[in-house]
Amino acid sequence: MDALDLARWQFAITTVYHFLFVPITIGLSAIVAGFHTWYLRRRNPELLRLAKFFGKLFTINFALGLVTGIVQEFQFGMNWSDYSKFVGDIFGAPLAFEALLAFFMESTFLGLWIFGWGRIPEKIHVACIWIVHIGTVLSAYFILAANSFMQHPVGYKYNPQTGRAELTDFIAVLTNKVQLVTFPHVLTAAYLCGGALVMGVGLWSMRRHGHDKQMYRKAARVGAVVTLIAGIGVSISGDAQGKVMTEVQPMKMAAAEALYQTRDSCAEFSIFTIGSLDGEHEKFSVTVPCVLSFLGTGSFDGKVEGIDDLKRELPGQISQAAEQRGEPARYVQPADAVFTPNIPLAYWSFRLMIGIGMLASAISVVVLWLTRKGRSEVPRWLVFAGVVAPLLPLLGNSFGWIFTETGRQPWLVYGVMTTSSGVSPSVTAGTVITSMVVFTILYAALAVVEVKLMLDYTRRGADPYKPTEQTADDEPLAFSY
């Protein structure tokens, strides 16, 4: 592999790994804030114990997420300098806001929440954790605004003197049509991850800590409710996202179905397909009529363009659009195949994203039914399902991002800059593979730390309630972070 291939692999590894922490941070911060607020209203000691217990898990995950996020910025400068130079003026504003929110607002108010027990007024104290959650949401919004520019560039002009894209309308970047559908989808997926984690930990703790069975049953049911509602939100927002995606990136939708021939109406959606390795020749499939037309256009009779037609049409359309904007060709006129992403990867990542997310929601329905009032025992198989449940939304999120980023290829910025033109010209394959090995070893070590800390604190369970822990003379958190 050359430097470009290795740089792409490194970006994929570090990005997918980092995003394992992001949705848990967003989703779990909301649930912790919910437990803390619920305690202030009901004064039920169990709710306070749950807020502190899941607060520990949240803090561990938050810390690891910050560390892995720093590497993202480092590799942009090292491996993708031409890309950074071209979009730096666009990305500077949203990423600056994200950094301020992530490293200042979130960290500051998380510190106040951790060490503020008994030291600041209760309502201000609970507001701190809500501000942390709001900060995580805003950070996600600004990051997604930058990513949405890559999917559908708006709010800029090309400067031929500097060879850079320059920001002309920051509001247009923040209200990009892709951004407006991607953000709700990512946010509800994050709540799905947080809910599944609380549900799984609650189920496992019900069997391990029998003396607190009712408390953990409450946690499991709260997690299941969040998972179910978030799953519905993911489906609705994903449907809206699919329609915008078909509009701005028709090749991505065609690749998601491995649809080579245009369907003028009632395009079928395949649930399962066996075909050639390149995805071009179908041997067996299970399909649902007209569903792809609805996903792409909102109508069961809608037209969905196929890969073969798009390969003929897209080069001319993109060249004409670039010429109208006064931009030079950022690519050499490629062969048709270059405009086609990896079809099997797009096809299966799209289905795994949907299927795994639906499975997590299905488990939440079963959990709500089997933990309903009047049932005192949890089946062993349900505990196993609960342990697996937190992994499912994380995998679904990963497959979703793999589909989003690889389905856009060969573009870094769709229709403007190709991936091959964004890599650092001076970087060598040896440099990239060296840094990739170092990062992989570092990430492996961080994974061991993360999993060990999460398992240790989960096994330990919630700390006992101390009647005095809300007084000003008590220790800051009544347990060690």
Side-chain angles (χ1 to χ4, degrees):
M1 291 188 288
D2 58 16
L4 173 62
D5 294 328
L6 291 169
R8 293 180 67 185
W9 269 107
Q10 186 179 62
F11 183 81
I13 292 169
T14 55
T15 301
V16 170
Y17 187 88
H18 172 63
F19 205 77
L20 295 176
F21 302 98
V22 173
I24 295 178
T25 297
I26 296 173
L28 199 54
S29 63
I31 296 175
V32 171
F35 277 133
H36 194 173
T37 304
W38 197 1
Y39 165 73
L40 289 187
R41 293 178 63 86
R42 297 293 183 88
R43 294 297 175 178
N44 184 341
E46 291 182 347
L47 298 172
L48 180 62
R49 295 176 64 196
L50 289 175
K52 292 186 174 185
F53 173 56
F54 287 107
K56 288 185 285 185
L57 303 184
F58 162 72
T59 305
I60 294 168
N61 190 80
F62 180 86
L64 269 294
L66 287 181
V67 172
T68 57
I70 294 173
V71 178
Q72 295 294 97
E73 298 185 14
F74 175 77
Q75 72 163 1
F76 275 129
M78 184 180 74
N79 295 340
W80 303 98
S81 62
D82 279 4
Y83 166 72
S84 300
K85 176 183 176 182
F86 184 72
V87 300
D89 193 63
I90 311 295
F91 280 22
L95 293 184
F97 278 108
E98 190 277 333
L100 288 171
L101 291 169
F103 288 98
F104 288 94
M105 191 173 88
E106 294 169 39
S107 301
T108 299
F109 283 95
L110 179 59
L112 288 173
W113 186 76
I114 291 173
F115 298 105
W117 294 92
R119 300 180 184 277
I120 58 179
E122 287 184 328
K123 292 183 179 179
I124 296 178
H125 189 209
V126 76
C128 290
I129 190 62
W130 278 114
I131 293 174
V132 171
H133 173 62
I134 293 170
T136 64
V137 171
L138 290 175
S139 293
Y141 191 90
F142 288 117
I143 287 291
L144 290 172
N147 181 265
S148 295
F149 178 85
M150 297 166 66
Q151 312 292 339
H152 180 59
V154 296
Y156 81 103
K157 68 176 181 180
Y158 176 75
N159 187 329
Q161 279 73 40
T162 61
R164 302 173 68 233
E166 295 183 350
L167 182 66
T168 59
D169 190 344
F170 185 48
I171 300 300
V173 173
L174 294 181
T175 58
N176 188 336
K177 66 171 68 177
V178 174
Q179 164 76 345
L180 296 180
V181 293
T182 299
F183 176 67
H185 191 57
V186 171
L187 188 61
T188 50
Y191 293 140
L192 185 69
C193 290
L197 177 63
V198 173
M199 177 177 68
V201 171
L203 287 173
W204 185 84
S205 299
M206 283 179 68
R207 291 189 68 94
R208 180 176 176 86
H209 306 288
H211 57 287
D212 283 323
K213 181 180 295 185
Q214 292 306 312
M215 181 181 71
Y216 290 115
R217 172 183 172 274
K218 186 177 298 182
R221 289 183 63 81
V222 167
V225 169
V226 172
T227 302
L228 180 57
I229 295 174
I232 296 172
V234 167
S235 300
I236 296 172
S237 59
D239 177 67
Q241 189 178 25
K243 293 168 176 55
V244 173
M245 179 183 72
T246 304
E247 176 188 348
V248 301
Q249 293 183 34
M251 181 63 84
K252 186 182 289 187
M253 176 55 83
E257 181 52 34
L259 181 69
Y260 280 84
Q261 302 301 321
T262 297
R263 298 288 193 273
D264 291 327
S265 65
C266 197
E268 66 274 9
F269 178 82
S270 59
I271 299 174
F272 179 82
T273 296
I274 297 175
S276 58
L277 289 177
D278 61 2
E280 188 167 355
H281 303 290
E282 178 185 305
K283 298 180 179 179
F284 172 79
S285 66
V286 178
T287 62
V288 182
C290 304
V291 171
L292 184 63
S293 288
F294 180 79
L295 290 176
T297 67
S299 169
F300 288 106
D301 292 325
K303 178 181 178 180
V304 181
E305 293 187 274
I307 294 170
D308 289 340
D309 288 336
L310 290 170
K311 285 195 295 187
R312 289 190 294 268
E313 298 168 2
L314 281 178
Q317 293 176 359
I318 291 173
S319 296
Q320 183 178 6
E323 184 178 346
Q324 291 174 351
R325 294 192 299 263
E327 299 172 4
R330 301 294 295 185
Y331 59 91
V332 176
Q333 188 68 22
D336 291 343
V338 178
F339 279 86
T340 307
N342 186 305
I343 303 301
L345 180 61
Y347 180 91
W348 285 111
S349 60
F350 186 68
R351 276 148 188 79
L352 289 169
M353 171 189 67
I354 296 172
I356 291 174
M358 292 177 64
L359 182 57
S361 297
I363 291 175
S364 70
V365 174
V366 176
V367 169
L368 288 173
W369 176 253
L370 294 181
T371 59
R372 67 190 186 276
K373 189 175 182 179
R375 294 187 65 94
S376 58
E377 295 297 328
V378 177
R380 185 178 294 274
W381 65 266
L382 184 61
V383 176
F384 175 77
V387 172
V388 173
L391 302 177
L392 297 177
L394 288 176
L395 289 173
N397 268 276
S398 297
F399 284 120
W401 276 111
I402 289 171
F403 169 72
T404 298
E405 298 304 300
T406 61
R408 189 184 65 244
Q409 296 303 314
W411 303 104
L412 264 177
V413 181
Y414 186 79
V416 176
M417 171 177 258
T418 58
T419 303
S420 59
S421 64
V423 71
S424 299
S426 60
V427 73
T428 63
T431 302
V432 180
I433 200 167
T434 299
S435 62
M436 185 161 59
V437 169
V438 172
F439 287 149
T440 302
I441 294 173
L442 174 63
Y443 278 4
L446 290 176
V448 172
V449 173
E450 160 85 3
V451 172
K452 187 177 187 307
L453 287 173
M454 295 287 280
L455 291 179
D456 285 349
Y457 278 102
T458 300
R459 291 192 190 101
R460 187 184 304 176
D463 292 326
Y465 175 71
K466 297 180 180 180
T468 61
E469 63 186 345
Q470 285 296 297
T471 66
D473 296 330
D474 193 32
E475 292 299 319
L477 205 54
F479 58 72
S480 174
Y481 262 87

